[in-house]
């Protein structure tokens, strides 16, 4: 009986893992910036949110994604609500893409991801520079978008293993 | 055509409004809430400010806890890199320490003079306290360069409080919560610091670049300016945002600056900060406000402008006395050294004279040995005897000369 209950709690934790990973990543800014690689940076929450909302993962609650955005803004020091808006826009984009897609294709998803993150980073950049008078380097945003795009395919293969494990 | 447009509208509407079984809010609601929060955060309402402070407190603490494993890996990585340059750093530090020690006394005097002059200008006493603060969140974001420290309004930290790594300026506080604050680093793109550059004595503004160096901007006629390599850059205090005379960095590699772009290498490495000092300044007006000093509490002596100046002069006097004591100590030490050296010289002199005596004795012995040796050969030629009536008495000077001359010379 004890064995069954511990297995259940393990399963529950396993099914909530993407949300836990999202919260940890926004709190921790999990980005390897301390390696001091010139220009290297990527946005892990974008990949995570895009993939799991595209797959309509049952525990990936939009409200938690929204709250994760607020946490990210607080940690990074951006005006409150910017990251929430970005994350929710990703959710809208994936929801639309899911609705119009009949046969899912990984390469199509990948390039759609590039389009979406470019659009969202542009919106971010525009809001921050126009409305909040932040000085930002556009090149940093471009490089961040590029590496996030590259890393997407790597993380997707890991997440697929995870989904397979959950379904089994 | 119309059908595809309908499909698009249906898909969009579904994306915005449709809630899945698990979702509690539609995405459209959340978009509106996000925009509402952005608008609110741009307005400075008291309620929002307190709400933000509350969120910041919780999130910063949580971020600190969550970052522990990554920080451990990061610190291990940094420590390993440090070990490779440890010895060179040690040698450099030792050299710098000896230089700093020698200049410490003069800077103390200058500091007091500076304090006194400032007081005369501003007519208030500015007492500052540097409080040690731990960095609890240091996410090296590629876009914004800031850190979170564990001191806030509870510890008198205010917006604009200067933050130092040892004596080097690293930034200023831009957001204050009850027990935490956010510090904007000098390397941030939004950071602008009025500076003076010595020895050229040029006033300029240093702007952050997002890396561990800044860029010199807003110099009148930059093309005519000639910087020396390693010129020191320190805060000028213009605008009263930063305190004056705080070192920031030095001019970097002027050989490469063909396009009139001058870079400042910061003294402090912002990526390796663990603890910083926040300078909490308390300004006390001395014209209107008469306070009882803690030291003078027992005697009930009120603080007046005159008494505060006297206190500064007393402090100055104390420093001069300290210096005198130090010089006196050095003088005594040197005297002792001179005495030791004199003793050593007299010892050496004694030793030399005894050595000379020994050498003279040795020469004498050598001559005697020579005489005895020659005596064996030529003694019979010089000795007076029955057969040699022209010889000399043994032991006389003539006999000795005769032997040394290898017999009598006619």
């Amino acid at each position: 009986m004890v064995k069954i209950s511990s297995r259940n709690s393990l399963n529950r934790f396993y099914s909530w893992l993407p949300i836990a990973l999202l919260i940890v990543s926004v709190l921790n800014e999990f980005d390897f910036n301390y390696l001091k690689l010139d220009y290297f940076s990527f946005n892990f929450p974008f990949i995570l949110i895009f993939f799991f909302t595209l797959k309509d993962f049952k525990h990936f609650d939009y409200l938690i994604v929204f709250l994760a955005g607020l946490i990210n803004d607080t940690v990074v020091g951006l005006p409150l609500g910017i990251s929430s808006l970005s994350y929710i826009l990703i959710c809208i984009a994936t929801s639309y893409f899911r609705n119009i897609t009949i046969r899912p294709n990984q390469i199509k998803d990948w390039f759609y991801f590039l389009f979406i993150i470019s659009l969202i980073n542009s919106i971010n950049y525009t809001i921050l520079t126009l409305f909040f008078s932040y000085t930002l380097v556009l090149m940093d945003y471009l490089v961040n978008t590029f590496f996030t795009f590259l890393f997407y395919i790597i993380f997707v293969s890991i997440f697929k293993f995870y989904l397979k494990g959950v379904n089994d | 055509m119309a059908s595809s447009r309908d499909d698009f509208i249906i898909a969009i509407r579904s994306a915005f409004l449709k809630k899945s079984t698990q979702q509690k809010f539609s995405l459209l609601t959340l978009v509106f809430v996000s925009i509402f929060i952005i608008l609110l955060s741009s307005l400075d309402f008291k309620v929002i400010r307190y709400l933000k402070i509350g969120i910041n407190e919780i999130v910063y603490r949580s971020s600190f806890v969550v970052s522990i494993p990554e920080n451990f890996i990061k610190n291990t990585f940094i420590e390993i890199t440090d070990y490779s340059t440890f010895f060179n750093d040690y040698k450099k530090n030792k050299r710098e320490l000896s230089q700093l020690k020698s200049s410490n006394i003069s800077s103390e005097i200058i500091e007091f003079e500076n304090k006194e002059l400032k007081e005369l200008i501003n007519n208030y006493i500015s007492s500052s306290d540097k409080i040690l603060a731990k960095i609890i969140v240091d996410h090296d974001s590629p876009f914004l360069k800031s850190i979170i420290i564990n001191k806030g309004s509870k510890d008198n930290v205010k917006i604009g409080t200067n933050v130092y790594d040892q004596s080097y300026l690293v930034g200023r506080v831009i957001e204050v919560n009850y027990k935490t604050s956010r510090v904007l680093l000098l390397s941030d793109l939004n950071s602008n610091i009025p500076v003076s550059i010595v020895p050229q004595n040029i006033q300029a503004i240093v702007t952050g670049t997002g890396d561990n160096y800044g860029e010199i901007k807003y110099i009148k006629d930059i093309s005519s300016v000639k910087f020396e390599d390693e010129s020191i850059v320190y805060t000028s205090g213009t605008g009263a945002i930063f305190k004056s005379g705080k070192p920031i960095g030095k001019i970097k590699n002027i050989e490469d600056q063909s396009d009139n772009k001058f870079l400042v290498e910061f003294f402090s490495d912002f990526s390796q900060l663990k603890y910083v000092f926040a300078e909490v300044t308390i300004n006390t007006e001395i014209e209107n406000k008469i306070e009882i000093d803690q030291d003078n509490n027992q005697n009930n002596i009120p603080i007046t402008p005159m008494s505060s100046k006297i206190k500064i002069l007393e402090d100055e006097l104390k420093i001069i006395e300290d210096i005198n004591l130090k010089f006196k100590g050095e003088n005594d030490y040197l005297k002792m050294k001179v005495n030791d050296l004199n003793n050593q010289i007299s010892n050496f002199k004694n030793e030399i004279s005894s050595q000379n005596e020994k050498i003279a004795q040795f020469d004498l012995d050598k001559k005697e040995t020579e005489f005895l040796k020659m005596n064996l050969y030529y003694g019979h030629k010089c000795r007076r005897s029955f057969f040699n009536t022209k010889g000399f008495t043994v032991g006389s000077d003539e006999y000795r000369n005769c032997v040394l001359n290898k017999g009598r010379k006619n």
Side-chain angles (χ1 to χ4, degrees):
Chain A
M1 193 68 189
V2 174
K3 202 175 174 183
I4 290 167
S5 110
S6 72
R7 194 170 178 165
N8 274 342
S9 55
L10 197 72
N11 279 342
R12 189 173 290 175
F13 171 74
Y14 195 63
S15 61
W16 282 96
L17 197 63
I19 282 294
L21 206 57
L22 177 67
I23 301 293
V24 169
S25 70
V26 292
L27 277 172
N28 195 27
E29 286 298 303
F30 163 73
D31 50 15
F32 306 115
N33 283 331
Y34 56 87
L35 292 177
K36 296 276 162 222
L37 299 172
D38 277 345
Y39 300 113
F40 174 78
S41 72
F42 72 100
N43 202 325
F44 181 67
F46 276 10
I47 299 172
L48 198 73
I49 294 165
F50 185 89
F51 180 82
F52 284 101
T53 51
L54 190 66
K55 299 290 170 196
D56 203 13
F57 189 66
K58 59 177 178 180
H59 291 304
F60 222 78
D61 198 329
Y62 292 150
L63 185 67
I64 298 176
V65 172
F66 174 80
L67 292 176
L70 289 184
I71 295 171
N72 189 59
D73 288 333
T74 314
V75 171
V76 177
L78 291 169
L80 226 54
I82 294 278
S83 300
S84 299
L85 183 67
S86 307
Y87 293 171
I88 293 301
L89 287 177
I90 292 179
C91 295
I92 290 168
T94 51
S95 174
Y96 169 73
F97 194 57
R98 207 173 46 240
N99 287 340
I100 61 163
T101 307
I102 299 163
R103 265 181 294 173
N105 180 318
Q106 194 167 307
I107 301 297
K108 267 188 193 170
D109 293 356
W110 194 23
F111 281 93
Y112 184 67
F113 175 69
L114 175 66
F115 169 70
I116 291 302
I117 57 168
S118 307
L119 183 76
I120 285 164
N121 276 339
S122 309
I123 294 170
N124 250 339
Y125 183 83
T126 314
I127 294 174
L128 288 173
T129 47
L130 284 183
F131 298 107
F132 290 93
S133 308
Y134 274 58
T135 313
L136 297 165
V137 179
L138 191 62
M139 183 54 85
D140 285 342
Y141 267 91
L142 289 175
V143 172
N144 185 277
T145 308
F146 177 69
F147 278 112
T148 312
F149 167 67
L150 283 188
F151 275 83
Y152 175 80
I153 206 77
I154 300 163
F155 281 111
V156 159
S157 35
I158 300 165
F159 295 154
K160 275 188 173 171
F161 271 113
Y162 166 77
L163 281 184
K164 206 178 162 193
V166 170
N167 293 333
D168 289 346
Chain B
M1 188 73 183
S3 131
S4 76
R5 202 172 62 199
D6 286 347
D7 288 348
F8 173 75
I9 290 165
I10 290 164
I12 283 281
R13 191 184 294 164
S14 162
F16 272 101
L17 299 170
K18 195 183 154 193
K19 286 191 283 179
S20 312
T21 45
Q22 295 289 324
Q23 308 298 343
K24 291 167 195 72
F25 296 91
S26 74
L27 286 166
L28 192 66
T29 318
L30 292 173
V31 167
F32 280 125
V33 174
S34 303
I35 294 167
F36 184 64
I37 290 174
I38 294 171
L39 287 173
L40 280 183
S41 66
S42 64
L43 303 170
D44 195 25
F45 286 139
K46 208 173 180 180
V47 182
I48 298 161
R49 208 162 54 231
Y50 284 126
L51 190 74
K52 260 175 90 175
I53 287 170
I55 295 170
N56 288 348
E57 287 289 347
I58 299 161
V59 171
Y60 291 161
R61 299 283 162 187
S62 318
S63 181
F64 175 65
V65 174
V66 170
S67 304
I68 289 171
E70 200 202 351
N71 283 343
F72 176 73
I73 297 167
K74 189 167 101 178
N75 291 337
T76 317
F77 175 77
I78 290 166
E79 270 174 25
I80 290 166
T81 350
D82 275 355
Y83 274 119
S84 57
T85 55
F86 214 60
F87 184 65
N88 287 340
D89 282 352
Y90 166 72
K91 271 165 68 178
K92 194 183 156 199
N93 288 342
K94 209 175 166 186
R95 201 170 50 241
E96 278 182 358
L97 185 69
S98 62
Q99 283 172 356
L100 286 171
K101 269 182 183 170
S102 63
S103 63
N104 192 27
I105 292 172
S106 56
S107 48
E108 268 185 8
I109 295 170
I110 291 165
E111 205 175 292
F112 266 90
E113 273 180 0
N114 196 7
K115 197 176 170 185
E116 194 183 1
L117 289 169
K118 268 188 179 172
E119 196 192 316
L120 286 171
I121 295 165
N122 295 332
N123 215 19
Y124 65 78
I125 304 170
S126 171
S127 62
S128 62
D129 243 346
K130 277 189 180 174
I131 50 168
L132 187 70
K134 190 183 177 189
I135 294 163
I136 54 170
V137 182
D138 175 19
H139 296 312
D140 195 4
S141 162
F143 311 120
L144 296 170
K145 304 285 173 188
S146 62
I147 52 171
I148 312 292
I149 57 171
N150 69 342
K151 300 284 176 214
S153 55
K154 186 179 167 250
D155 309 285
N156 284 329
V157 173
K158 290 174 186 136
I159 288 178
T161 296
N162 292 191
V163 177
Y164 302 92
D165 171 25
Q166 305 299 327
S167 59
Y168 304 133
L169 185 74
V170 294
R172 68 189 166 92
V173 172
I174 53 161
E175 176 192 287
V176 183
N177 306 312
Y178 185 60
K179 282 170 104 176
T180 54
S181 310
R182 182 181 288 276
V183 178
L184 186 78
L185 296 174
L186 301 182
S187 57
D188 190 275
L189 286 164
N190 301 288
S191 159
N192 293 302
I193 322 130
V195 294
S196 294
I197 303 160
V198 283
Q200 296 81 11
N201 200 21
I202 293 167
Q203 306 297 309
I205 301 276
V206 170
T207 309
T209 57
D211 285 312
N212 212 24
Y213 54 84
E215 191 185 334
I216 292 178
K217 283 187 178 170
Y218 312 118
I219 300 180
K220 196 182 172 187
D221 196 11
I222 196 162
S223 55
S224 66
V225 173
K226 292 269 179 286
F227 284 119
E228 283 174 25
D229 205 1
E230 310 243 314
S231 292
I232 305 288
V233 179
Y234 64 89
T235 52
S236 64
T238 313
I241 295 168
F242 293 100
K243 277 190 115 182
S244 60
K246 300 295 172 192
I248 290 174
K250 56 190 177 185
I251 302 284
K252 191 183 167 189
N253 301 328
I254 52 163
E255 291 86 9
D256 306 338
Q257 317 291 331
S258 49
D259 52 347
N260 284 333
K261 196 175 164 187
F262 295 99
L263 299 178
V264 177
E265 193 179 356
F266 295 122
F267 285 130
S268 185
D269 184 357
F270 302 140
S271 61
Q272 295 200 27
L273 295 173
K274 279 185 181 170
Y275 293 92
V276 287
F277 291 98
E279 191 172 34
V280 181
T281 314
I282 302 153
N283 293 337
T284 316
E285 286 206 31
I286 56 173
E287 286 272 60
N288 307 324
K289 205 175 179 181
I290 298 174
E291 283 182 356
I292 308 294
D293 191 10
Q294 270 191 338
D295 297 341
N296 300 333
N297 235 349
Q298 290 162 347
N299 305 326
N300 281 343
I301 300 168
I303 293 177
T304 59
M306 192 54 78
S307 70
S308 62
K309 275 172 198 166
I310 287 168
K311 196 178 175 305
I312 288 169
L313 285 171
E314 277 173 0
D315 288 342
E316 205 171 313
L317 192 72
K318 196 173 168 289
I319 284 187
I320 291 165
E321 276 172 0
D322 285 348
I323 294 165
N324 278 344
L325 270 174
K326 203 181 168 190
F327 284 147
K328 209 176 167 188
E330 267 181 29
N331 206 6
D332 287 345
Y333 174 73
L334 287 171
K335 269 183 186 170
M336 209 170 73
K337 267 270 189 220
V338 168
N339 282 339
D340 282 353
L341 286 171
N342 281 337
N343 286 338
Q344 269 184 347
I345 289 167
S346 68
N347 285 343
F348 283 136
K349 272 183 182 169
N350 288 338
E351 212 169 307
I352 287 166
S353 66
S354 76
Q355 292 287 341
N356 280 340
E357 274 173 22
K358 273 183 189 169
I359 289 164
Q361 188 62 41
F362 176 76
D363 285 348
L364 209 67
D365 290 350
K366 201 179 168 188
K367 273 183 188 170
E368 198 60 32
T369 317
E370 189 69 22
F371 168 72
L372 289 170
K373 199 177 163 187
M374 289 180 82
N375 190 36
L376 285 171
Y377 290 108
Y378 308 108
H380 67 280
K381 287 183 182 175
C382 299
R383 205 177 297 131
R384 184 194 288 262
S385 66
F386 182 73
F387 299 105
N388 187 8
T389 50
K390 286 182 180 174
F392 306 106
T393 316
V394 175
S396 64
D397 289 342
E398 290 87 357
Y399 176 75
R400 189 179 176 88
N401 288 334
C402 176
V403 169
L404 290 174
N405 290 329
K406 299 179 180 176
R408 214 154 32 90
K409 305 279 181 213
N410 291 322

